[in-house]
mmCIF file of all heavy atoms in Angstrom:
data_model
loop_
_atom_site.group_PDB
_atom_site.id
_atom_site.type_symbol
_atom_site.label_atom_id
_atom_site.label_comp_id
_atom_site.label_asym_id
_atom_site.label_seq_id
_atom_site.Cartn_x
_atom_site.Cartn_y
_atom_site.Cartn_z
ATOM 1 N N TRP A 14 4.506 1.260 4.283
ATOM 2 C CA TRP A 14 4.082 2.004 3.224
ATOM 3 C C TRP A 14 3.626 3.409 3.338
ATOM 4 O O TRP A 14 3.697 4.236 2.510
ATOM 5 C CB TRP A 14 3.021 1.025 2.385
ATOM 6 C CG TRP A 14 3.737 0.012 1.630
ATOM 7 C CD1 TRP A 14 3.815 -1.320 2.112
ATOM 8 C CD2 TRP A 14 4.453 0.060 0.528
ATOM 9 N NE1 TRP A 14 4.462 -2.028 1.293
ATOM 10 C CE2 TRP A 14 5.045 -1.246 0.211
ATOM 11 C CE3 TRP A 14 4.805 1.153 -0.312
ATOM 12 C CZ2 TRP A 14 5.839 -1.522 -0.789
ATOM 13 C CZ3 TRP A 14 5.712 0.862 -1.406
ATOM 14 C CH2 TRP A 14 6.259 -0.396 -1.702
ATOM 15 N N MET A 15 3.167 3.710 4.583
ATOM 16 C CA MET A 15 2.870 5.054 4.938
ATOM 17 C C MET A 15 4.184 5.870 4.973
ATOM 18 O O MET A 15 4.254 6.934 4.426
ATOM 19 C CB MET A 15 2.271 5.119 6.317
ATOM 20 C CG MET A 15 1.996 6.505 6.798
ATOM 21 S SD MET A 15 1.143 6.625 8.444
ATOM 22 C CE MET A 15 2.620 6.036 9.482
ATOM 23 N N ALA A 16 5.368 5.227 5.466
ATOM 24 C CA ALA A 16 6.673 5.862 5.569
ATOM 25 C C ALA A 16 7.164 6.049 4.161
ATOM 26 O O ALA A 16 7.725 7.087 3.789
ATOM 27 C CB ALA A 16 7.589 5.092 6.346
ATOM 28 N N VAL A 17 6.944 5.050 3.190
ATOM 29 C CA VAL A 17 7.485 5.155 1.754
ATOM 30 C C VAL A 17 6.690 6.145 1.116
ATOM 31 O O VAL A 17 7.403 6.971 0.461
ATOM 32 C CB VAL A 17 7.381 3.728 1.134
ATOM 33 C CG1 VAL A 17 7.558 3.885 -0.397
ATOM 34 C CG2 VAL A 17 8.167 2.720 1.724
ATOM 35 N N LEU A 18 5.394 6.215 1.224
ATOM 36 C CA LEU A 18 4.616 7.295 0.620
ATOM 37 C C LEU A 18 5.015 8.689 1.031
ATOM 38 O O LEU A 18 5.178 9.664 0.179
ATOM 39 C CB LEU A 18 3.119 7.015 0.733
ATOM 40 C CG LEU A 18 2.466 5.910 0.099
ATOM 41 C CD1 LEU A 18 1.074 5.699 0.453
ATOM 42 C CD2 LEU A 18 2.528 6.099 -1.510
ATOM 43 N N PHE A 19 5.303 8.832 2.239
ATOM 44 C CA PHE A 19 5.639 10.108 2.893
ATOM 45 C C PHE A 19 6.994 10.651 2.376
ATOM 46 O O PHE A 19 7.070 11.715 1.878
ATOM 47 C CB PHE A 19 5.578 10.064 4.376
ATOM 48 C CG PHE A 19 6.039 11.407 4.984
ATOM 49 C CD1 PHE A 19 5.117 12.446 5.039
ATOM 50 C CD2 PHE A 19 7.302 11.523 5.505
ATOM 51 C CE1 PHE A 19 5.639 13.657 5.671
ATOM 52 C CE2 PHE A 19 7.725 12.823 6.124
ATOM 53 C CZ PHE A 19 6.885 13.894 6.119
ATOM 54 N N PHE A 20 8.033 9.800 2.508
ATOM 55 C CA PHE A 20 9.395 10.162 2.254
ATOM 56 C C PHE A 20 9.565 10.338 0.710
ATOM 57 O O PHE A 20 10.207 11.252 0.308
ATOM 58 C CB PHE A 20 10.379 9.212 2.764
ATOM 59 C CG PHE A 20 10.524 9.197 4.278
ATOM 60 C CD1 PHE A 20 10.224 8.161 5.088
ATOM 61 C CD2 PHE A 20 10.985 10.363 4.797
ATOM 62 C CE1 PHE A 20 10.314 8.269 6.441
ATOM 63 C CE2 PHE A 20 11.246 10.526 6.237
ATOM 64 C CZ PHE A 20 10.871 9.521 7.027
ATOM 65 N N SER A 21 9.012 9.395 -0.113
ATOM 66 C CA SER A 21 9.198 9.539 -1.502
ATOM 67 C C SER A 21 8.593 10.633 -2.247
ATOM 68 O O SER A 21 8.978 11.056 -3.246
ATOM 69 C CB SER A 21 8.729 8.224 -2.185
ATOM 70 O OG SER A 21 7.241 8.129 -2.063
ATOM 71 N N THR A 22 7.614 11.278 -1.484
ATOM 72 C CA THR A 22 6.992 12.502 -2.064
ATOM 73 C C THR A 22 7.280 13.688 -1.404
ATOM 74 O O THR A 22 6.713 14.826 -1.679
ATOM 75 C CB THR A 22 5.368 12.281 -2.082
ATOM 76 O OG1 THR A 22 5.021 12.007 -0.832
ATOM 77 C CG2 THR A 22 5.020 11.202 -3.007
ATOM 78 N N ASN A 23 8.322 13.700 -0.397
ATOM 79 C CA ASN A 23 8.683 14.868 0.242
ATOM 80 C C ASN A 23 10.235 14.884 0.279
ATOM 81 O O ASN A 23 10.892 14.933 1.329
ATOM 82 C CB ASN A 23 8.088 14.848 1.689
ATOM 83 C CG ASN A 23 6.671 15.092 1.834
ATOM 84 O OD1 ASN A 23 6.330 16.288 1.745
ATOM 85 N ND2 ASN A 23 5.928 14.049 1.796
ATOM 86 N N THR A 24 10.817 14.854 -0.922
ATOM 87 C CA THR A 24 12.219 14.885 -0.998
ATOM 88 C C THR A 24 12.653 15.623 -2.284
ATOM 89 O O THR A 24 11.944 15.741 -3.277
ATOM 90 C CB THR A 24 12.822 13.453 -1.151
ATOM 91 O OG1 THR A 24 14.219 13.465 -1.361
ATOM 92 C CG2 THR A 24 12.171 12.751 -2.362
ATOM 93 N N THR A 25 13.814 16.270 -2.176
ATOM 94 C CA THR A 25 14.389 17.040 -3.217
ATOM 95 C C THR A 25 15.435 16.405 -3.925
ATOM 96 O O THR A 25 15.983 16.768 -4.889
ATOM 97 C CB THR A 25 14.775 18.425 -2.831
ATOM 98 O OG1 THR A 25 15.896 18.164 -1.729
ATOM 99 C CG2 THR A 25 13.679 19.206 -2.164
ATOM 100 N N ARG A 26 15.778 15.069 -3.418
ATOM 101 C CA ARG A 26 16.946 14.321 -3.880
ATOM 102 C C ARG A 26 16.548 13.357 -5.014
ATOM 103 O O ARG A 26 17.366 12.985 -5.744
ATOM 104 C CB ARG A 26 17.615 13.597 -2.779
ATOM 105 C CG ARG A 26 18.105 14.521 -1.566
ATOM 106 C CD ARG A 26 18.785 13.746 -0.527
ATOM 107 N NE ARG A 26 20.017 13.180 -1.002
ATOM 108 C CZ ARG A 26 20.952 12.568 -0.232
ATOM 109 N NH1 ARG A 26 20.586 12.406 1.038
ATOM 110 N NH2 ARG A 26 22.087 12.066 -0.683
ATOM 111 N N LEU A 27 15.212 13.174 -5.100
ATOM 112 C CA LEU A 27 14.820 12.146 -6.165
ATOM 113 C C LEU A 27 13.704 12.852 -7.039
ATOM 114 O O LEU A 27 13.079 13.849 -6.635
ATOM 115 C CB LEU A 27 14.211 10.818 -5.424
ATOM 116 C CG LEU A 27 14.990 10.041 -4.439
ATOM 117 C CD1 LEU A 27 14.095 8.923 -3.887
ATOM 118 C CD2 LEU A 27 16.299 9.508 -5.235
ATOM 119 N N ASP A 28 13.505 12.245 -8.154
ATOM 120 C CA ASP A 28 12.509 12.638 -9.022
ATOM 121 C C ASP A 28 11.155 12.288 -8.429
ATOM 122 O O ASP A 28 11.099 11.187 -7.763
ATOM 123 C CB ASP A 28 12.614 11.992 -10.440
ATOM 124 C CG ASP A 28 13.744 12.517 -11.212
ATOM 125 O OD1 ASP A 28 14.351 13.659 -10.855
ATOM 126 O OD2 ASP A 28 14.371 11.741 -12.036
ATOM 127 N N TYR A 29 10.078 13.084 -8.618
ATOM 128 C CA TYR A 29 8.812 12.888 -7.988
ATOM 129 C C TYR A 29 8.134 11.670 -8.711
ATOM 130 O O TYR A 29 8.067 11.691 -9.936
ATOM 131 C CB TYR A 29 7.932 14.050 -8.071
ATOM 132 C CG TYR A 29 6.717 14.021 -7.179
ATOM 133 C CD1 TYR A 29 6.733 14.466 -5.866
ATOM 134 C CD2 TYR A 29 5.475 13.457 -7.755
ATOM 135 C CE1 TYR A 29 5.615 14.359 -5.117
ATOM 136 C CE2 TYR A 29 4.355 13.391 -6.938
ATOM 137 C CZ TYR A 29 4.383 13.874 -5.627
ATOM 138 O OH TYR A 29 3.302 13.794 -4.805
ATOM 139 N N PRO A 30 7.663 10.698 -8.024
ATOM 140 C CA PRO A 30 6.915 9.556 -8.713
ATOM 141 C C PRO A 30 5.689 10.049 -9.385
ATOM 142 O O PRO A 30 5.044 11.012 -8.910
ATOM 143 C CB PRO A 30 6.590 8.625 -7.601
ATOM 144 C CG PRO A 30 7.371 9.015 -6.409
ATOM 145 C CD PRO A 30 7.681 10.383 -6.643
ATOM 146 N N GLN A 31 5.341 9.432 -10.523
ATOM 147 C CA GLN A 31 4.115 9.744 -11.190
ATOM 148 C C GLN A 31 2.827 9.433 -10.387
ATOM 149 O O GLN A 31 2.952 8.464 -9.674
ATOM 150 C CB GLN A 31 4.029 8.980 -12.618
ATOM 151 C CG GLN A 31 5.125 9.456 -13.583
ATOM 152 C CD GLN A 31 5.135 8.680 -14.889
ATOM 153 O OE1 GLN A 31 4.217 7.884 -15.047
ATOM 154 N NE2 GLN A 31 6.030 8.948 -15.768
ATOM 155 N N ASN A 32 1.854 10.139 -10.602
ATOM 156 C CA ASN A 32 0.555 9.882 -9.926
ATOM 157 C C ASN A 32 0.075 8.419 -10.185
ATOM 158 O O ASN A 32 -0.455 7.805 -9.190
ATOM 159 C CB ASN A 32 -0.551 10.863 -10.233
ATOM 160 C CG ASN A 32 -0.302 12.186 -9.642
ATOM 161 O OD1 ASN A 32 0.350 12.371 -8.478
ATOM 162 N ND2 ASN A 32 -0.820 13.321 -10.268
ATOM 163 N N GLU A 33 0.216 7.948 -11.336
ATOM 164 C CA GLU A 33 -0.161 6.566 -11.719
ATOM 165 C C GLU A 33 0.678 5.609 -10.805
ATOM 166 O O GLU A 33 0.063 4.583 -10.227
ATOM 167 C CB GLU A 33 0.112 6.197 -13.112
ATOM 168 C CG GLU A 33 -0.335 4.815 -13.513
ATOM 169 C CD GLU A 33 -0.046 4.583 -15.071
ATOM 170 O OE1 GLU A 33 0.519 5.459 -15.670
ATOM 171 O OE2 GLU A 33 -0.507 3.455 -15.405
ATOM 172 N N THR A 34 1.943 5.845 -10.580
ATOM 173 C CA THR A 34 2.678 4.899 -9.640
ATOM 174 C C THR A 34 2.273 4.945 -8.270
ATOM 175 O O THR A 34 2.019 3.946 -7.629
ATOM 176 C CB THR A 34 4.171 5.351 -9.785
ATOM 177 O OG1 THR A 34 4.675 5.290 -11.094
ATOM 178 C CG2 THR A 34 5.013 4.367 -8.853
ATOM 179 N N ILE A 35 1.978 6.234 -7.787
ATOM 180 C CA ILE A 35 1.506 6.345 -6.422
ATOM 181 C C ILE A 35 0.134 5.579 -6.281
ATOM 182 O O ILE A 35 -0.263 4.989 -5.335
ATOM 183 C CB ILE A 35 1.312 7.801 -6.058
ATOM 184 C CG1 ILE A 35 2.704 8.408 -5.978
ATOM 185 C CG2 ILE A 35 0.614 7.912 -4.687
ATOM 186 C CD1 ILE A 35 3.646 7.838 -5.006
ATOM 187 N N GLY A 36 -0.706 5.864 -7.253
ATOM 188 C CA GLY A 36 -2.078 5.247 -7.282
ATOM 189 C C GLY A 36 -2.129 3.758 -7.197
ATOM 190 O O GLY A 36 -2.893 3.150 -6.463
ATOM 191 N N TRP A 37 -1.203 3.165 -7.954
ATOM 192 C CA TRP A 37 -1.203 1.594 -7.959
ATOM 193 C C TRP A 37 -0.555 1.164 -6.686
ATOM 194 O O TRP A 37 -0.914 0.039 -6.175
ATOM 195 C CB TRP A 37 -0.464 1.079 -9.139
ATOM 196 C CG TRP A 37 -1.374 1.055 -10.287
ATOM 197 C CD1 TRP A 37 -1.406 1.876 -11.428
ATOM 198 C CD2 TRP A 37 -2.481 0.178 -10.444
ATOM 199 N NE1 TRP A 37 -2.452 1.552 -12.172
ATOM 200 C CE2 TRP A 37 -3.114 0.438 -11.743
ATOM 201 C CE3 TRP A 37 -2.988 -0.886 -9.682
ATOM 202 C CZ2 TRP A 37 -4.265 -0.235 -12.209
ATOM 203 C CZ3 TRP A 37 -4.096 -1.536 -10.186
ATOM 204 C CH2 TRP A 37 -4.657 -1.247 -11.426
ATOM 205 N N ILE A 38 0.347 1.938 -6.016
ATOM 206 C CA ILE A 38 0.906 1.511 -4.755
ATOM 207 C C ILE A 38 -0.261 1.536 -3.662
ATOM 208 O O ILE A 38 -0.351 0.617 -2.908
ATOM 209 C CB ILE A 38 1.986 2.443 -4.362
ATOM 210 C CG1 ILE A 38 3.288 2.079 -5.157
ATOM 211 C CG2 ILE A 38 2.382 2.258 -2.807
ATOM 212 C CD1 ILE A 38 4.436 3.011 -4.898
ATOM 213 N N ILE A 39 -1.056 2.577 -3.709
ATOM 214 C CA ILE A 39 -2.169 2.712 -2.796
ATOM 215 C C ILE A 39 -3.223 1.563 -3.094
ATOM 216 O O ILE A 39 -3.717 1.026 -2.137
ATOM 217 C CB ILE A 39 -2.808 4.050 -2.934
ATOM 218 C CG1 ILE A 39 -1.870 5.130 -2.473
ATOM 219 C CG2 ILE A 39 -4.176 4.145 -2.117
ATOM 220 C CD1 ILE A 39 -2.309 6.548 -2.787
ATOM 221 N N ILE A 40 -3.562 1.245 -4.244
ATOM 222 C CA ILE A 40 -4.387 0.166 -4.698
ATOM 223 C C ILE A 40 -3.840 -1.153 -4.134
ATOM 224 O O ILE A 40 -4.589 -1.973 -3.644
ATOM 225 C CB ILE A 40 -4.536 0.017 -6.157
ATOM 226 C CG1 ILE A 40 -5.437 1.314 -6.602
ATOM 227 C CG2 ILE A 40 -5.255 -1.216 -6.687
ATOM 228 C CD1 ILE A 40 -5.540 1.242 -8.227
ATOM 229 N N GLY A 41 -2.564 -1.362 -4.165
ATOM 230 C CA GLY A 41 -1.802 -2.554 -3.674
ATOM 231 C C GLY A 41 -2.045 -2.706 -2.161
ATOM 232 O O GLY A 41 -2.363 -3.820 -1.538
ATOM 233 N N VAL A 42 -1.859 -1.481 -1.478
ATOM 234 C CA VAL A 42 -2.130 -1.545 0.009
ATOM 235 C C VAL A 42 -3.549 -1.809 0.353
ATOM 236 O O VAL A 42 -3.777 -2.550 1.327
ATOM 237 C CB VAL A 42 -1.648 -0.113 0.435
ATOM 238 C CG1 VAL A 42 -1.898 -0.093 2.012
ATOM 239 C CG2 VAL A 42 -0.111 0.100 0.284
ATOM 240 N N VAL A 43 -4.503 -1.215 -0.380
ATOM 241 C CA VAL A 43 -5.819 -1.513 -0.208
ATOM 242 C C VAL A 43 -6.192 -2.977 -0.370
ATOM 243 O O VAL A 43 -6.927 -3.502 0.527
ATOM 244 C CB VAL A 43 -6.709 -0.620 -0.944
ATOM 245 C CG1 VAL A 43 -8.240 -0.907 -0.832
ATOM 246 C CG2 VAL A 43 -6.559 0.929 -0.667
ATOM 247 N N ALA A 44 -5.588 -3.510 -1.373
ATOM 248 C CA ALA A 44 -6.008 -4.871 -1.795
ATOM 249 C C ALA A 44 -5.372 -5.820 -0.573
ATOM 250 O O ALA A 44 -6.105 -6.816 -0.277
ATOM 251 C CB ALA A 44 -5.329 -5.206 -3.080
ATOM 252 N N TYR A 45 -4.187 -5.508 -0.185
ATOM 253 C CA TYR A 45 -3.575 -6.337 0.857
ATOM 254 C C TYR A 45 -4.513 -6.245 2.195
ATOM 255 O O TYR A 45 -4.747 -7.253 2.806
ATOM 256 C CB TYR A 45 -2.182 -5.802 1.274
ATOM 257 C CG TYR A 45 -1.509 -6.510 2.439
ATOM 258 C CD1 TYR A 45 -0.571 -7.669 2.213
ATOM 259 C CD2 TYR A 45 -1.589 -6.092 3.652
ATOM 260 C CE1 TYR A 45 0.027 -8.254 3.206
ATOM 261 C CE2 TYR A 45 -0.985 -6.718 4.750
ATOM 262 C CZ TYR A 45 -0.139 -7.750 4.453
ATOM 263 O OH TYR A 45 0.461 -8.457 5.514
ATOM 264 N N THR A 46 -4.987 -4.996 2.455
ATOM 265 C CA THR A 46 -5.798 -4.762 3.608
ATOM 266 C C THR A 46 -7.176 -5.603 3.529
ATOM 267 O O THR A 46 -7.583 -6.392 4.449
ATOM 268 C CB THR A 46 -6.200 -3.375 3.812
ATOM 269 O OG1 THR A 46 -5.021 -2.560 3.903
ATOM 270 C CG2 THR A 46 -7.047 -3.043 4.970
ATOM 271 N N LEU A 47 -7.719 -5.593 2.276
ATOM 272 C CA LEU A 47 -8.949 -6.367 2.135
ATOM 273 C C LEU A 47 -8.707 -7.854 2.226
ATOM 274 O O LEU A 47 -9.525 -8.628 2.754
ATOM 275 C CB LEU A 47 -9.506 -6.094 0.749
ATOM 276 C CG LEU A 47 -9.940 -4.614 0.482
ATOM 277 C CD1 LEU A 47 -10.424 -4.342 -0.932
ATOM 278 C CD2 LEU A 47 -11.235 -4.335 1.510
ATOM 279 N N GLY A 48 -7.500 -8.333 1.667
ATOM 280 C CA GLY A 48 -7.239 -9.755 1.710
ATOM 281 C C GLY A 48 -7.034 -10.170 3.244
ATOM 282 O O GLY A 48 -7.569 -11.275 3.694
ATOM 283 N N TYR A 49 -6.375 -9.379 3.995
ATOM 284 C CA TYR A 49 -6.152 -9.577 5.434
ATOM 285 C C TYR A 49 -7.471 -9.601 6.199
ATOM 286 O O TYR A 49 -7.705 -10.567 6.950
ATOM 287 C CB TYR A 49 -5.272 -8.548 6.007
ATOM 288 C CG TYR A 49 -4.886 -8.756 7.444
ATOM 289 C CD1 TYR A 49 -3.525 -9.366 7.698
ATOM 290 C CD2 TYR A 49 -5.625 -8.392 8.601
ATOM 291 C CE1 TYR A 49 -3.082 -9.605 8.987
ATOM 292 C CE2 TYR A 49 -5.132 -8.697 9.829
ATOM 293 C CZ TYR A 49 -3.892 -9.252 10.034
ATOM 294 O OH TYR A 49 -3.406 -9.599 11.293
ATOM 295 N N ILE A 50 -8.398 -8.611 5.924
ATOM 296 C CA ILE A 50 -9.743 -8.651 6.522
ATOM 297 C C ILE A 50 -10.459 -9.797 6.201
ATOM 298 O O ILE A 50 -11.252 -10.306 6.956
ATOM 299 C CB ILE A 50 -10.288 -7.313 6.249
ATOM 300 C CG1 ILE A 50 -9.590 -6.061 6.872
ATOM 301 C CG2 ILE A 50 -11.885 -7.259 6.775
ATOM 302 C CD1 ILE A 50 -10.097 -4.708 6.506
ATOM 303 N N PHE A 51 -10.441 -10.178 4.908
ATOM 304 C CA PHE A 51 -11.159 -11.258 4.298
ATOM 305 C C PHE A 51 -10.848 -12.541 5.122
ATOM 306 O O PHE A 51 -11.674 -13.280 5.542
ATOM 307 C CB PHE A 51 -10.943 -11.446 2.841
ATOM 308 C CG PHE A 51 -11.603 -12.624 2.222
ATOM 309 C CD1 PHE A 51 -12.894 -12.540 1.862
ATOM 310 C CD2 PHE A 51 -10.865 -13.725 1.955
ATOM 311 C CE1 PHE A 51 -13.518 -13.633 1.217
ATOM 312 C CE2 PHE A 51 -11.434 -14.829 1.398
ATOM 313 C CZ PHE A 51 -12.777 -14.733 0.978
ATOM 314 N N GLN A 52 -9.561 -12.766 5.258
ATOM 315 C CA GLN A 52 -9.259 -14.051 6.112
ATOM 316 C C GLN A 52 -9.608 -13.934 7.509
ATOM 317 O O GLN A 52 -10.072 -14.923 8.071
ATOM 318 C CB GLN A 52 -7.644 -14.208 5.935
ATOM 319 C CG GLN A 52 -7.128 -15.599 6.319
ATOM 320 C CD GLN A 52 -7.026 -15.699 7.803
ATOM 321 O OE1 GLN A 52 -6.858 -14.697 8.603
ATOM 322 N NE2 GLN A 52 -7.216 -16.987 8.271
ATOM 323 N N ARG A 53 -9.387 -12.827 8.158
ATOM 324 C CA ARG A 53 -9.684 -12.682 9.530
ATOM 325 C C ARG A 53 -11.243 -12.809 9.819
ATOM 326 O O ARG A 53 -11.519 -13.366 10.839
ATOM 327 C CB ARG A 53 -9.123 -11.425 10.144
ATOM 328 C CG ARG A 53 -7.597 -11.283 10.044
ATOM 329 C CD ARG A 53 -6.947 -12.287 10.963
ATOM 330 N NE ARG A 53 -6.765 -11.912 12.346
ATOM 331 C CZ ARG A 53 -7.132 -12.722 13.358
ATOM 332 N NH1 ARG A 53 -7.474 -13.862 13.121
ATOM 333 N NH2 ARG A 53 -6.988 -12.242 14.513
ATOM 334 N N ILE A 54 -12.058 -12.262 9.006
ATOM 335 C CA ILE A 54 -13.461 -12.327 9.201
ATOM 336 C C ILE A 54 -14.074 -13.747 8.901
ATOM 337 O O ILE A 54 -14.781 -14.285 9.672
ATOM 338 C CB ILE A 54 -14.181 -11.253 8.287
ATOM 339 C CG1 ILE A 54 -13.800 -9.856 8.806
ATOM 340 C CG2 ILE A 54 -15.712 -11.519 8.277
ATOM 341 C CD1 ILE A 54 -14.449 -8.688 7.983
ATOM 342 N N LEU A 55 -13.647 -14.328 7.738
ATOM 343 C CA LEU A 55 -14.177 -15.601 7.322
ATOM 344 C C LEU A 55 -13.444 -16.715 7.960
ATOM 345 O O LEU A 55 -13.953 -17.844 8.109
ATOM 346 C CB LEU A 55 -14.054 -15.714 5.933
ATOM 347 C CG LEU A 55 -14.991 -14.784 4.939
ATOM 348 C CD1 LEU A 55 -14.851 -15.137 3.534
ATOM 349 C CD2 LEU A 55 -16.480 -14.841 5.436
ATOM 350 N N LYS A 56 -12.224 -16.382 8.568
ATOM 351 C CA LYS A 56 -11.342 -17.428 9.261
ATOM 352 C C LYS A 56 -11.197 -18.641 8.438
ATOM 353 O O LYS A 56 -11.295 -19.802 8.808
ATOM 354 C CB LYS A 56 -11.907 -17.782 10.576
ATOM 355 C CG LYS A 56 -12.026 -16.583 11.600
ATOM 356 C CD LYS A 56 -12.467 -16.994 12.909
ATOM 357 C CE LYS A 56 -12.221 -15.987 13.921
ATOM 358 N NZ LYS A 56 -12.799 -14.627 13.582
ATOM 359 N N ILE A 57 -10.837 -18.474 7.171
ATOM 360 C CA ILE A 57 -10.504 -19.544 6.239
ATOM 361 C C ILE A 57 -9.043 -20.044 6.601
ATOM 362 O O ILE A 57 -8.149 -19.236 6.864
ATOM 363 C CB ILE A 57 -10.361 -18.987 4.813
ATOM 364 C CG1 ILE A 57 -11.778 -18.531 4.365
ATOM 365 C CG2 ILE A 57 -9.959 -20.123 3.913
ATOM 366 C CD1 ILE A 57 -11.746 -17.820 3.009
ATOM 367 N N ARG A 58 -9.024 -21.358 6.745
ATOM 368 C CA ARG A 58 -7.818 -21.911 7.273
ATOM 369 C C ARG A 58 -6.987 -22.646 6.082
ATOM 370 O O ARG A 58 -7.559 -23.526 5.469
ATOM 371 C CB ARG A 58 -8.068 -22.923 8.402
ATOM 372 C CG ARG A 58 -8.875 -22.383 9.546
ATOM 373 C CD ARG A 58 -8.050 -21.261 10.265
ATOM 374 N NE ARG A 58 -8.883 -20.495 11.246
ATOM 375 C CZ ARG A 58 -8.959 -19.234 11.297
ATOM 376 N NH1 ARG A 58 -8.090 -18.477 10.433
ATOM 377 N NH2 ARG A 58 -9.673 -18.596 12.058
ATOM 378 N N PHE A 59 -5.732 -22.367 6.074
ATOM 379 C CA PHE A 59 -4.838 -23.049 5.101
ATOM 380 C C PHE A 59 -3.923 -23.861 5.868
ATOM 381 O O PHE A 59 -2.756 -23.520 6.079
ATOM 382 C CB PHE A 59 -4.136 -22.012 4.169
ATOM 383 C CG PHE A 59 -5.020 -21.099 3.470
ATOM 384 C CD1 PHE A 59 -5.135 -19.800 3.969
ATOM 385 C CD2 PHE A 59 -5.634 -21.452 2.367
ATOM 386 C CE1 PHE A 59 -5.986 -18.936 3.312
ATOM 387 C CE2 PHE A 59 -6.423 -20.579 1.724
ATOM 388 C CZ PHE A 59 -6.692 -19.334 2.107
#
């Protein structure tokens, strides 16, 4: 997602994504990170 954010906002071939779109992608990445850390710290087993 670092690569996606970089390339999608540094191109002249595509329309620039709205800030809201970028914001929710970042929120999704942060949420994924928190979920990963949550499981690794608490070591909840499924």
Side-chain angles (χ1 to χ4, degrees):
W14 284 100
M15 180 182 70
V17 170
L18 287 172
F19 176 79
F20 286 117
S21 65
T22 56
N23 289 275
T24 178
T25 58
R26 303 183 65 176
L27 301 179
D28 295 330
Y29 193 90
Q31 296 178 2
N32 283 334
E33 183 181 5
T34 303
I35 297 297
W37 278 106
I38 288 175
I39 295 173
I40 289 173
V42 174
V43 172
Y45 179 93
T46 302
L47 293 175
Y49 189 96
I50 294 173
F51 177 79
Q52 193 283 332
R53 297 295 277 134
I54 291 177
L55 298 183
K56 294 184 170 55
I57 300 173
R58 306 292 171 232
F59 304 100

